[in-house]
Amino acid sequence: MSMEAYEAANKQAQKAFRAALNKGEYPYLSALDDFLPYEKTAGEKYIGLIEIPLNLVAGTKTAGRQNSFASNFMPLLSQETEFAFKWADLYEAQLDEGIRDPIVAYEYMHRFYIMEGNKRVSVLKSLKAVKISAKVTRIIPKKTEELENKIYYEFMEFYEDAEIYDIWFSKEGSYAKLSAYYGYQKGQKWTKESRSALRSEFLAFRKIYKAKGGDKVSITSGDAFLAYIDIFPAWQLQTASEEEIRKNLTKMWDEFLTLAQSKSMKIVLEPHQKEKSTGGRLLNRLLANETSKQLKIAFIFEKSVLNSAWNYTHEMGRMHIEQVFGSRIKTSIYEHAEFTNNSEDIIEAAIEDGNQIIFTVAAQLANASVKAALKYPDVKILNCSTNSKYQAIRTYYCRMYESKFLLGIIAGALSETNDIGYMADYPIYSTIANINAFSLGAQMVNPRIRVHLRWNSLKEELQQDWPECVHLISDRDGINPEHPTRKYGLYRRLAGDGAENIAVSICHWGKFYELIIRSIMEHTWKGEGGKNKNRALNYWWGISSGVLEIVCSQKLPEGTKMLIDTLTENIRRGEFSPFHFAWTKQDGSLTNEANRSLEPEDIFQMNYLAGNVEGEIPQLDSLKENARQLVRLQGGVS
């Protein structure tokens, strides 16, 4: 029986050998020593005796017996050789009692190269085994700016905590996101139970993902797994049937294709422009009349409409579109769609009520929105957030950094102490750009200015008071109707607990909603993504679109008001950008030395602070629980 197994393995080897030759590829096992001398390394580290995934075994350490195996580790030598008999004996031993002696391997860039035990690896691969026991030494590459090298260094940090080799990513930040999903941060050791849960959940997913053709999608199984558990919780993989997982994968398949693209996200910076010709406008009216049935539109709030400034401004936006469109639309609101409670049920209820357009008005509802959109592809679902990489929904947000820059100029011009305050909410993408824009605006008119950064999402015991020297503060952009206060926008602290308002950013959500609904009514919605359908679409509109402005107090000095009006107009025309010049980070390094216009992704994915900011981006464990949830969902920078 063992020689029959050798014959079958030999046939696999011959097939792989011929296929490699036909492709012009090297047909034998690769040897680490053949290319390692040309690589820059930073030393070695003995990892110890561990179970290594056989799918990560890439070749041999030395060139000794590499020609005995095809590139798939199957044996090439004929059945009459001593090599074949030894292979067959090992096969028999594995069937009788298992191969117990560990192999010796070197790991380099997340791949294993065998020093001792090539035949044992070959036998186990022929039996489709998953792991093998090995004494492993890691060869550490020197740090470079190459993406694969950066990801590998993130992997080494992850391995120190989790001791898991199975998962590899193609995008930076993925290991931190995976750890946060399982409740861990960098430097925190995983429990045995957590390691076991992740391994079993990932392997269960990978088996079905590969069976559906995952190897043909140019992302790693780890990338696909992370996208999957964003929408369908990992713990469900423990209890779900293969059929359930397969159905979920089918729903998500287009999302995996989106992730596989080099530019998986399209950021729409301006609303779609209507045709200027009379014929175009007439055609749109005719098309609109053909589908003149009343549009049912739902607004879903995480909490009550009246318990936060954020919710209230969006409720005003809903009232705006009712006035604009009249009987052509019917709107309704759904409240208390808590992330940890019933958000999916509430979105589903809105769909069952016949709503064709759904706005989920909180970043915390993004994943529930994606899950609903995958289930009901005919319903248009939009989430108020940034940085979504899912094509099933669209996201929308204002380019707040533009107005924050203008507020920074006002603060810098009015400060009498060279110290101003900035109260931020959550350390998520786009928030950091807002802080930096404000700080750079202040520095533009006052080079000595220092911005003292505080976070209202920190745990109570970690929150700090403002220094005495801070008289001007930039705070949240609206008023909570239940708890009115003058401490919003840019304000001056007065004696006692008083405040004098100076200026505030205004997002005209009603205008935003109006423009989106018009694009649906006028049938331009489908074309906004361009020819490439496998991309996530994010609306990120600013001052030029009329959805964002700042309102200034009449007490603002005339010269400062004229400066703000001029810069606002220049931003509106596209003649000026707050980040279109070189500036210094906190670590003293210079960013944007080429004085170029930063790409939108570069702006809202900033993860560093300007040099004149006093403060830091908080770590995940320093945040309140609701803030930690949002950072994990939205893409945090801590």
Side-chain angles (χ1 to χ4, degrees), residues 357-548:
I357 305 169
I358 295 177
F359 294 102
T360 55
V361 188
Q364 291 91 331
L365 301 177
N367 287 2
S369 300
V370 174
K371 194 169 184 178
L374 292 172
K375 187 175 181 180
Y376 301 98
D378 293 333
V379 179
K380 296 175 173 62
I381 302 179
L382 300 96
N383 177 254
C384 191
S385 63
T386 60
N387 203 39
S388 169
K389 293 179 173 60
Y390 293 102
Q391 61 162 299
I393 65 170
R394 297 188 184 184
T395 61
Y396 60 99
Y397 212 82
C398 290
R399 291 199 298 273
M400 296 299 299
Y401 73 88
E402 294 177 346
S403 60
K404 296 297 184 183
F405 176 80
L406 297 172
L407 291 179
I409 287 178
I410 296 172
L414 298 187
S415 175
E416 298 173 355
T417 64
N418 297 329
D419 293 276
I420 50 182
Y422 190 103
M423 179 63 78
D425 43 22
Y426 304 103
I428 58 176
Y429 291 130
S430 78
T431 296
I432 309 304
N434 298 343
I435 298 167
N436 287 335
F438 179 88
S439 304
L440 294 176
Q443 191 176 54
M444 180 175 284
V445 294
N446 184 347
R448 296 174 298 281
I449 205 77
R450 305 298 299 175
V451 177
H452 297 262
L453 177 61
R454 299 288 184 268
W455 297 89
N456 59 29
S457 53
L458 291 177
K459 295 175 181 176
E460 295 295 334
E461 63 270 21
L462 298 176
Q463 293 183 7
Q464 298 174 286
D465 292 331
W466 296 110
E468 286 296 323
C469 58
V470 170
H471 301 152
L472 293 171
I473 297 172
S474 175
D475 210 315
R476 62 189 65 202
D477 298 312
I479 304 172
N480 184 333
E482 289 186 345
H483 305 285
T485 176
R486 297 193 72 86
K487 292 181 179 179
Y488 68 93
L490 179 66
Y491 69 89
R492 187 190 306 277
R493 288 204 291 176
L494 300 178
D497 198 35
E500 177 185 55
N501 299 112
I502 296 171
V504 64
S505 296
I506 301 290
C507 275
H508 295 292
W509 293 114
K511 180 68 173 176
F512 217 126
Y513 292 129
E514 177 188 343
L515 291 168
I516 291 172
I517 292 166
R518 286 196 189 282
S519 76
I520 295 169
M521 288 180 168
E522 296 176 357
H523 301 273
T524 61
W525 164 274
K526 288 185 178 179
E528 289 171 357
K531 295 180 180 179
N532 189 345
K533 295 181 180 179
N534 288 324
R535 283 201 295 183
L537 206 61
N538 292 258
Y539 299 123
W540 205 32
W541 300 342
I543 288 173
S544 58
S545 309
V547 300
L548 178 66

Side-chain angles (χ1 to χ4, degrees), residues 298-304 332-355 358-361 365 368-369 372 376 379 381:
F299 288 78
I300 299 180
F301 298 90
E302 188 196 17
K303 296 178 182 177
S304 166
S332 53
I333 63 172
Y334 297 77
E335 300 176 293
H336 301 290
E338 304 283 352
F339 165 70
T340 56
N341 187 12
N342 59 347
S343 55
E344 293 177 18
D345 293 339
I346 288 181
I347 296 173
E348 184 124 0
I351 293 170
E352 289 176 355
D353 288 344
N355 289 288
I358 295 177
F359 294 102
T360 55
V361 188
L365 301 177
S369 300
Y376 301 98
V379 179
I381 302 179

Side-chain angles (χ1 to χ4, degrees), residues 29 59 123 127 183 238 243 277 400 492-493 504 565 615 629:
L29 288 179
V123 166
L127 288 165
Q238 298 273 11
E243 183 59 27
S277 68
M400 296 299 299
R492 187 190 306 277
R493 288 204 291 176
V504 64
D565 288 345
Q629 291 170 355

Side-chain angles (χ1 to χ4, degrees), residues 9 34 78 124 131 172 183 224 234 323 332 363 409 418 468 474 632:
D34 285 345
S78 70
L124 288 176
K131 292 183 180 293
E172 287 184 87
Q323 291 179 337
S332 53
I409 287 178
N418 297 329
E468 286 296 323
S474 175
R632 293 188 188 111

